[in-house]
Amino acid sequence: MARLNLLEETRFEKLPVSVFENPQKASLSVAQRIGNLIKEKQKNNDIAVLGLATGATPVAVYAELVRMHKEEGLSFKNVVTFNLDEYYPMQPDAAQSYVSFMNDHLFDHIDIDKNNINIPDGTLNLEDIPAFCLEYEKKIGDVGGLDIQILGIGRTGHIGFNEPGSAPNSGTRLVTLDDLTRRDAARDFGGKSFVPTKAITMGIGTIFKAREIILMAWNRKKASIIKKAVEGEISSEVPATYLQLSEHVEFILDEDAASLLTRFDTPWLVKDCIWEETISRKAVIWLANFLKKPVLKLTEDDYNNNGMAQLALDKGPVYNINIHIFNKLQHTITGWPGGKPNADDSQRPERAEPSKKRSIIFSPHPDDDVISMGGTFIRLVDQQHEVHVAYQTSGNTAVWDDDVLRFVEFSIDFSEKMGASKPELNTLYQDMRSFMEKKQPNQVDTPEIQTVKGLIRKGEAIAGARFCGLEDDHIHFMALPFYESGKNQKNPVTELDVQLTMDLLQKVKPQQVFAAGDFEDPHGTHIVCFNIIIEALKRLKKTESWVADCWVWMYRGAWKEFETYEIEMAVPLSPQEVEKKKFAIFKHQSQKDRAVFPGDDAREFWQRAEDRNRDTAQAYDDLGLAEYEAMEAFVRYKF
Ligand code: F6R
C-alpha cells in the first residue's frame, strides 16, 4: 500500500526522502547507519547481512566504512554481504568486474571473512545460471535475510540491473541490459561495444525483502529519474517506482539529485514562498511556459489557479509583475558581450567601461570555446576586445587511433619530400602500429601516441581560434597536468594546475573570464577545470587589485543549457553568425562525424550547438520577446 503523506510540502512524494547538502555528507550518514547496524549486531553476537551496490554512487560510503575500520576499529568479522549484481559474462579479475570494484573500494581494506562475501558469478555456463540464482536467493534466506540493502539508480530507473519491464516480484536472474545503461558504462569498458549485454541481478522481489532499503543518488544527471521514481506513478517503465510500495525504504539524495522534486523545483505549488527576485522570475516563466502564453498576457486568474496567488497579492497587480519580469528578460539580451561603449549600462549585463576589455575564454577541452560560445567569441574579437583563449587540457583521450597514423604518416612523407627524413620517426611509427594492433579496450596509449593525439587537437584548436580572429600569441595551451593520466579516470588536481592558471590570469589581468560552468558534462572534466579557475582567482584576489574588476561568465558546453530564468546574458546570433560558428566548430575535424566520447547524444557537436542556441532563442520568443535566429547564454558567477 502506498504511504500516507500528511506533509503539504512533500505531498507529491510517495516515499520518504532525505536531502543532504552534498554527496559527501549524505554518504557519511549512510555509512554511519551501516556502521551502527554492524555494531548493534555485534553486541548481540549476531551477524549483519548487507546488500551492496557498485557504481559511482556508493564509493564515498565505502571509503567512510574503510576509514571507520582503520581509525575507529569497526570490525566486519560479523558481516555477510550480498552484492546486487555482476555483468555476464565477466571474469572476476577483469578491471570492470564488480568483484574488482568491491575489492578495490571495500573488501581489500577491511577485516571481512572472504567466505562471507557473495557476488553473482559472471563465469558460469548459461545453463548453470538458474540454479545459481536459486541458490543465491536461498543463501540470503539462510542467513536470515538482508538487514539493509543499499541501492543506486540508473538513468533508466533501474535498481540493481532490473531494467524497465522488470516485474515487482522478480528474483535473482539473468537479464539483458538496457541500451542507455550500456552507454553509461561505455567509458569503463572503452566503448559501448565492449560492455556485456547481460548481467545477473537480484530481483525487485529480492531487494524488497530487505528490512531496510536505502537508495542513494547524487548529481543533476539523476534529477529527472529521481523525480519519476519519487513522484511518478508506479510502473514497470521505471522499476524504482516499485519502491513506493515498500514500508522500509528511504531515498538519500544530494541537493542536485533532488532539484526537480516539486518542493524544490516549483515550491509555490506546495508551500508559501518568500517571493524574492529569482524565485519570482522562475515562477512567472514557469507559468508562461505551463500555460503556453507570453509573459505579458498572464492574468490574475492564471496566477491564482497555479499556486501563485501569494505572489500576486505581495507584488501585484499581476500586470506590473509581468512587465517587471519581461523587462528583466529583455535586459539580458545584448549584442555587446564585452559591454557597449559609451552606453548607459545600468540595465545591461556587462559594464561599458573599460570599452576595450581583456577577456580570457577558458575552454576545458580544445573545442568547448567554439561549441559553446563561438558566436560570442567572434563578436568579442570583432568588437576589438583583447581576447585570449586558454585551452585547459590537451583533450588527448578523445582522438581515434587511425587519425594518429594518418598524421604520423604525413610527417614521415613530408620530411622525406623535404629531404629531412628522420629514421627515428619510422621506428616510432612502427612501434605505434604494433601497439595499436594489440591494443585492448581502454588500454592507456603509449606516451608517443598520447602526444600525437594532443597535437592533433592542438592544431584544430589553433585553426578554430584563428578562424574566430585571434592572433597566435593570444592562444594558450595549458595542458593542465591533472588531465594527463592517459585514462578516463583523471589525476587529482595539484598545486601545479592552480599555479599555471594563476600565471596566465596574472599575465593577462582580464576584466572578463569566460568559463565552462557545465557541471553535467559526463566526463567531469568541466567542473574540475572550473574549480581550478575559481581557486586561482580567489588566491589572486588576496593580493591583486585587478581581480575585483574581473567578472566570471559561465557558459555551458555541449550537454545542457541554463534554464531561461537563470540566464543573465543572452547574446543573439544572426543566421550568418550561426553559419560562421558552425565553421569554427568544423575545424575540430577529429571530433566530427563520430566523436570518441559522444555521450548519450547521437548528434554531432555542431548540431547540438545549433539546436541548443535555437532552443534558447525560441524560449525567449515563446515568452513574448523578440524572435532571434539563435542565442548563446551566460550566467555570472560571483566568487
Ligand atoms: C550497481 C547497480 C546499478 C547502479 C546504477 C547507478 O550495482 O546495480 O543499479 O547502482 O546503475 O550507477 P552509478 O552509481 O554509477 O550512477
Side-chain angles (χ1 to χ4, degrees):
M1 200 187 67
R3 179 180 74 119
L4 198 61
N5 184 358
L6 299 175
L7 287 174
E8 183 63 8
E9 191 183 350
T10 54
R11 73 189 154 94
F12 286 96
E13 296 170 23
K14 296 172 179 160
L15 45 75
V17 174
S18 303
V19 182
F20 287 77
E21 198 183 320
N22 56 44
Q24 196 56 29
K25 287 191 180 159
S27 301
L28 291 194
S29 109
V30 173
Q32 204 65 51
R33 274 161 76 165
I34 297 174
N36 289 345
L37 170 84
I38 295 172
K39 284 187 255 177
E40 203 53 43
K41 293 278 183 179
Q42 265 159 11
K43 265 198 239 151
N44 305 327
N45 258 335
D46 213 347
I47 55 165
V49 186
L50 309 181
L52 300 179
T54 52
T57 310
V59 167
V61 174
Y62 297 146
E64 174 63 7
L65 287 173
V66 170
R67 191 201 62 76
M68 286 157 86
H69 169 69
K70 295 210 161 123
E71 291 176 16
E72 295 170 11
L74 175 69
S75 171
F76 290 76
K77 287 264 183 254
N78 68 323
V79 173
V80 178
T81 64
F82 289 88
N83 260 82
L84 275 170
D85 41 23
E86 176 62 283
Y87 291 108
Y88 181 84
M90 180 55 70
Q91 291 301 320
D93 57 357
Q96 300 87 355
S97 82
Y98 284 167
V99 173
S100 301
F101 177 97
M102 291 309 300
N103 288 339
D104 292 349
H105 289 280
L106 185 65
F107 297 146
D108 283 352
H109 313 285
I110 56 175
D111 62 346
I112 190 167
D113 180 345
K114 299 278 172 208
N115 295 319
N116 288 346
I117 297 172
N118 301 280
I119 301 181
D121 184 351
T123 66
L124 296 168
N125 288 327
L126 255 182
E127 60 276 18
D128 296 332
I129 294 178
F132 173 87
C133 292
L134 276 179
E135 183 57 27
Y136 206 70
E137 295 277 340
K138 183 169 174 300
K139 243 177 159 176
I140 298 174
D142 287 349
V143 290
L146 299 165
D147 287 308
I148 192 166
Q149 174 67 56
I150 62 169
L151 300 172
I153 182 169
R155 289 193 303 152
T156 57
H158 71 212
I159 47 176
F161 275 137
N162 294 281
E163 298 286 16
S166 298
N169 58 353
S170 49
T172 303
R173 69 204 186 287
L174 183 69
V175 292
T176 300
L177 296 176
D178 194 277
D179 192 64
L180 177 57
T181 301
R182 292 184 63 229
R183 271 185 274 155
D184 277 349
R187 284 181 75 83
D188 292 339
F189 284 86
K192 193 184 97 175
S193 56
F194 302 111
V195 181
T197 53
K198 294 198 178 291
I200 300 174
T201 182
M202 282 187 197
I204 312 255
T206 328
I207 295 169
F208 240 83
K209 281 191 265 176
R211 282 181 278 281
E212 198 179 344
I213 303 172
I214 298 179
L215 184 144
M216 300 176 287
W218 335 128
N219 202 302
R220 285 282 313 189
K221 267 187 269 180
K222 297 283 170 79
S224 64
I225 196 67
I226 284 293
K227 182 176 173 73
K228 287 186 191 155
V230 174
E231 298 187 355
E233 294 301 318
I234 296 173
S235 138
S236 70
E237 301 270 295
V238 181
T241 55
Y242 289 130
L243 295 172
Q244 293 174 13
L245 296 167
S246 168
E247 300 287 332
H248 318 285
V249 69
E250 182 176 354
F251 276 31
I252 305 268
L253 309 177
D254 75 341
E255 288 178 357
D256 286 341
S259 60
L260 291 180
L261 296 180
T262 304
R263 62 172 143 146
F264 301 108
D265 192 34
T266 48
W268 49 89
L269 296 177
V270 288
K271 63 175 180 186
D272 280 344
C273 294
I274 299 167
W275 289 102
E276 41 80 38
E277 185 64 30
T278 313
I279 189 162
S280 306
R281 191 189 300 193
K282 182 175 184 185
V284 172
I285 293 174
W286 170 84
L287 186 62
N289 288 333
F290 181 65
L291 298 175
K292 297 197 174 29
K293 277 182 165 185
V295 169
L296 293 176
K297 287 192 181 169
L298 295 172
T299 65
E300 201 85 30
D301 279 350
D302 294 335
Y303 277 63
N304 291 342
N305 296 338
N306 291 288
M308 289 163 58
Q310 191 65 37
L311 172 61
L313 266 180
D314 289 359
K315 305 261 170 80
V318 300
Y319 195 66
N320 290 1
I321 304 175
N322 295 347
I323 291 198
H324 173 71
I325 301 295
F326 180 88
N327 285 339
K328 285 278 175 210
L329 282 165
Q330 180 68 39
H331 294 149
T332 62
I333 303 173
T334 182
W336 299 86
K340 185 169 185 183
N342 307 316
D344 170 12
D345 60 6
S346 57
Q347 303 292 348
R348 292 180 171 275
E350 244 308 347
R351 301 148 292 176
E353 293 297 327
S355 56
K356 299 277 172 271
K357 292 194 176 57
R358 290 183 298 274
S359 307
I360 305 186
I361 300 171
F362 281 100
S363 181
H365 301 97
D367 53 357
D368 291 307
D369 53 345
V370 286
I371 291 174
S372 312
M373 54 170 291
T376 305
F377 188 166
I378 294 169
R379 268 194 188 214
L380 286 167
V381 177
D382 285 352
Q383 292 170 354
Q384 319 229 309
H385 298 286
E386 182 189 317
V387 182
H388 294 254
V389 65
Y391 298 104
Q392 294 175 278
T393 72
S394 68
N396 64 6
T397 49
V399 177
W400 299 105
D401 288 346
D402 48 8
D403 280 339
V404 171
L405 295 182
R406 193 153 62 90
F407 275 81
V408 179
E409 282 155 8
F410 173 89
S411 313
I412 292 173
D413 285 352
F414 181 68
S415 39
E416 270 170 15
K417 285 244 186 281
M418 296 295 118
S421 68
K422 288 228 163 41
E424 310 90 85
L425 254 185
N426 282 304
T427 322
L428 265 178
Y429 173 71
Q430 289 308 335
D431 290 350
M432 285 177 181
R433 284 207 82 147
S434 36
F435 173 83
M436 285 175 189
E437 270 157 29
K438 290 189 241 74
K439 186 173 163 182
Q440 296 296 311
N442 254 10
Q443 188 175 349
V444 175
D445 284 323
T446 62
E448 293 77 17
I449 295 176
Q450 287 180 40
T451 303
V452 178
K453 290 186 173 179
L455 288 175
I456 291 175
R457 299 211 68 183
K458 182 176 179 186
E460 294 168 348
I462 292 174
R466 275 189 199 145
F467 183 83
C468 295
L470 274 206
E471 298 295 333
D472 288 3
D473 60 353
H474 285 193
I475 307 174
H476 309 272
F477 290 92
M478 307 183 76
L480 292 180
F482 87 86
Y483 186 88
E484 297 302 310
S485 64
K487 299 183 282 201
N488 299 330
Q489 186 71 34
K490 304 303 179 203
N491 300 321
V493 171
T494 64
E495 271 303 301
L496 190 53
D497 297 298
V498 181
Q499 194 55 51
L500 287 167
T501 310
M502 285 169 71
D503 291 349
L504 179 68
L505 284 162
Q506 181 61 15
K507 198 169 116 196
V508 177
K509 298 193 177 61
Q511 283 98 7
Q512 283 192 313
V513 156
F514 290 88
D518 189 358
F519 308 140
E520 279 176 67
D521 149 39
H523 313 171
T525 299
H526 287 204
I527 185 141
V528 177
C529 285
F530 184 79
N531 289 339
I532 292 172
I533 299 169
I534 299 304
E535 177 61 22
L537 281 168
K538 279 188 182 156
R539 290 199 201 171
L540 286 165
K541 196 174 187 178
K542 293 188 187 132
T543 52
E544 301 298 319
S545 56
W546 62 264
V547 183
D549 293 324
C550 176
W551 284 17
V552 175
W553 288 104
M554 298 190 289
Y555 62 82
R556 288 235 165 131
W559 317 103
K560 192 176 180 297
E561 189 52 280
F562 295 109
E563 301 293 333
T564 314
Y565 77 93
E566 297 174 301
I567 296 174
E568 292 177 85
M569 176 158 75
V571 180
L573 308 183
S574 67
Q576 290 81 352
E577 283 170 310
V578 171
E579 198 63 8
K580 199 159 178 206
K581 169 173 175 167
K582 181 165 78 184
F583 282 115
I585 301 174
F586 280 175
K587 300 292 174 199
H588 295 270
Q589 289 170 349
S590 69
Q591 307 302 300
K592 248 198 76 55
D593 300 330
R594 200 157 72 86
V596 180
F597 299 117
D600 56 17
D601 188 334
R603 290 170 305 168
E604 282 191 45
F605 288 122
W606 69 270
Q607 290 170 313
R608 295 187 211 184
E610 270 195 24
D611 292 350
R612 251 241 329 254
N613 295 159
R614 289 216 165 91
D615 287 350
T616 307
Q618 186 65 49
Y620 272 68
D621 182 20
D622 290 345
L623 294 170
L625 290 114
E627 185 178 352
Y628 289 99
E629 175 74 9
M631 275 176 167
E632 289 176 344
F634 301 87
V635 169
R636 202 175 146 205
Y637 184 87
K638 303 203 178 79
F639 56 97

